[in-house]
């Protein structure tokens, strides 16, 4: 008997099915998705432009915010263009390697964003609890190293998923009931034991995110304790406002993500198309809201946006 060739069972392409049961509504669904994506591109692009051009914003908090904007852009751009092509042109076909690449950048951008949020929590912790040491601890060099560590951790935790998927035979199963490629969605198509994929997908990347959440929670407990020790109510209010935007962004990022994961794992009675819609919102909603939250709640950014985009128009009207 000839040896069993697993390579021959690796599909040349996968087919993204979109949102099962809602195929007739794909065009209508694409309208808000496209609008949200364009708004996210504009908002994060403006944020990056303001931080890049205004030297007064070259501070740890805003440098970390620019990293967050880049991670948001990668998270949405990795998935949404292909999703819209599927909705508009029924272009659901994606090569095996392209699917793995999309999966890698999707999960790694989420992991990197989580670590950036942790770094932002540490920045607020040092700024409020140890204000005199803030400039010495969080230098531009330290921020750059933080970004590199976030990239390295994302790479080291997500890259093994590619090999875990490449080793699986698929036996002709190549239709993914989703709008984009993600680790377990691909693994479930395999005609082999995927327990290693399930174990790794839960134990390593998920554990890293949980550690980030725990450390962020510890940071804010210490921040709250420090705030309550401040003698002045005005000082407490001012310090709390500096953390407000970051807390909003944390909630916007983690709540949809954990809700999506929990409903996917335990909400078996929830219709499959609801799972897919929630997963799509998870790659669209945080990139849309993060620049809005920081633009509205952060006075420095609001002033710079008005200076760059509104003042020149006023001068032109006067002339």
């Amino acid at each position: 008997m000839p040896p069993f060739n697993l390579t021959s069972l690796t599909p040349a392409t996968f087919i993204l099915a979109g949102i099962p049961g809602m195929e007739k509504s794909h065009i209508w669904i694409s309208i808000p998705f496209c609008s949200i994506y364009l708004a996210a591109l504009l908002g994060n692009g403006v944020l990056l432009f303001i931080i890049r051009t205004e030297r007064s914003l070259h501070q740890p908090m805003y440098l970390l915010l620019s990293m967050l904007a880049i991670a948001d852009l990668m998270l949405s751009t990795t998935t949404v263009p292909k999703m819209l092509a599927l909705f508009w042109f029924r272009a659901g076909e994606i090569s095996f390697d392209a699917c793995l690449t999309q999966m890698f950048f999707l999960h790694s951008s989420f992991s990197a964003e989580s670590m950036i949020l942790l770094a932002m929590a540490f920045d607020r912790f040092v700024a409020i609890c140890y204000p005199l040491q803030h400039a010495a601890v969080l230098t531009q060099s330290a921020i750059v190293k933080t970004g590199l560590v976030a990239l390295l951790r994302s790479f080291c935790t997500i890259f093994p998923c590619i090999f875990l998927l490449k080793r699986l035979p698929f036996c002709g199963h190549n239709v993914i009931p989703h709008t984009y490629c993600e680790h377990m969605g691909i693994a479930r198509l395999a005609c082999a034991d995927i327990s290693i994929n399930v174990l790794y997908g839960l134990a390593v990347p998920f554990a890293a995110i949980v550690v980030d959440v725990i450390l962020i929670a510890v940071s804010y407990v210490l921040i709250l304790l420090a705030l309550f020790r401040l003698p002045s109510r005005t000082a407490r209010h001012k310090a709390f406002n500096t953390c407000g935007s970051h807390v909003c962004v944390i909630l916007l990022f983690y709540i949809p993500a954990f809700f999506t994961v929990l409903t996917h794992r335990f909400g078996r009675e929830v219709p499959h198309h609801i799972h897919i819609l929630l997963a799509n919102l998870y790659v669209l909603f945080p990139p849309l809201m993060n620049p809005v939250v920081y633009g509205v709640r952060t006075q420095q950014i609001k002033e710079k946006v008005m200076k760059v985009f509104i003042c020149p128009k006023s001068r032109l009207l006067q002339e």
Side-chain angles (χ1 to χ4, degrees):
M1 181 179 291
F4 194 72
N5 186 4
L6 294 180
T7 306
S8 64
L9 296 178
T10 299
T13 59
F14 283 118
I15 305 296
L16 295 170
I19 305 175
M22 301 186 70
E23 289 82 0
K24 293 182 180 179
S25 303
H26 277 177
I27 292 293
W28 296 107
I29 294 170
S30 71
I31 295 173
F33 281 14
C34 181
S35 301
I36 292 172
Y37 177 60
L38 292 176
L41 288 181
L42 177 63
N44 287 286
V46 168
L47 201 60
L48 287 170
F49 175 77
I50 293 296
I51 295 172
R52 172 69 179 84
T53 54
E54 291 293 332
R55 294 188 62 85
S56 62
L57 297 181
H58 293 181
Q59 303 171 26
M61 174 182 169
Y62 300 107
L63 294 176
L64 289 169
L65 180 56
S66 66
M67 292 182 189
L68 185 69
I70 292 170
D72 277 335
L73 289 174
M74 187 167 73
L75 180 67
S76 56
T77 302
T78 297
T79 55
V80 178
K82 181 62 180 177
M83 185 194 307
L84 294 177
L86 166 64
F87 288 163
W88 290 340
F89 311 113
R90 298 183 180 178
E93 189 173 288
I94 183 170
S95 70
F96 181 74
D97 290 336
C99 192
L100 295 186
T101 302
Q102 186 186 58
M103 179 274 300
F104 171 78
F105 281 105
L106 169 70
H107 293 312
S108 61
S109 59
F110 181 84
S111 175
E113 186 159 346
S114 180
M115 190 166 183
I116 292 167
L117 289 174
L118 173 59
M120 294 173 81
F122 180 72
D123 169 66
R124 294 298 86 205
F125 166 72
V126 176
I128 292 172
C129 298
Y130 302 97
L132 298 179
Q133 285 80 31
H134 183 260
V137 173
L138 286 159
T139 61
Q140 287 195 7
S141 174
I143 298 301
V144 171
K145 289 176 182 177
T146 300
L148 293 176
V149 170
L151 288 175
L152 183 62
R153 190 192 74 168
S154 301
F155 180 85
C156 292
T157 54
I158 305 303
F159 194 68
C161 293
I162 294 177
F163 295 99
L164 290 175
L165 291 172
K166 277 183 170 290
R167 70 181 181 86
L168 296 172
F170 289 89
C171 307
H173 303 299
N174 69 336
V175 178
I176 301 175
H178 210 306
T179 55
Y180 54 78
C181 299
E182 49 94 19
H183 178 221
M184 289 310 302
I186 301 171
R188 287 194 182 95
L189 297 179
C191 51
D193 181 20
I194 62 169
S195 57
I196 296 177
N197 295 74
V198 174
L199 181 63
Y200 186 88
L202 285 174
V204 180
F206 190 70
I209 302 301
V210 169
V211 169
D212 290 345
V213 172
I214 292 172
L215 292 176
I216 288 171
V218 170
S219 297
Y220 272 97
V221 168
L222 296 174
I223 287 171
L224 286 173
L225 292 175
L227 289 179
F228 288 134
R229 288 196 295 265
L230 291 176
S232 168
R233 178 179 292 182
T234 303
R236 285 199 299 269
H237 182 70
K238 183 178 179 181
F240 185 76
N241 277 342
T242 64
C243 301
S245 300
H246 186 235
V247 171
C248 291
V249 167
I250 288 171
L251 296 177
L252 288 169
F253 180 73
Y254 285 114
I255 289 178
F258 280 117
F259 186 72
T260 300
V261 171
L262 291 174
T263 55
H264 192 68
R265 298 291 178 187
F266 305 109
R268 301 192 182 278
E269 296 181 359
V270 180
H272 188 61
H273 66 274
I274 300 298
H275 286 300
I276 305 302
L277 285 171
L278 288 173
N280 289 331
L281 289 175
Y282 140 68
V283 300
L284 281 166
F285 198 61
L288 169 69
M289 294 306 299
N290 288 351
V292 174
V293 168
Y294 271 98
V296 170
R297 292 187 59 90
T298 307
Q299 188 65 28
Q300 293 93 326
I301 293 178
K302 191 189 301 184
E303 290 174 354
K304 300 304 179 185
V305 170
M306 294 180 67
K307 175 183 174 183
V308 171
F309 293 101
I310 297 177
C311 292
K313 291 183 180 180
S314 301
R315 284 196 295 269
L316 286 173
L317 290 174
Q318 291 174 0
E319 291 174 1

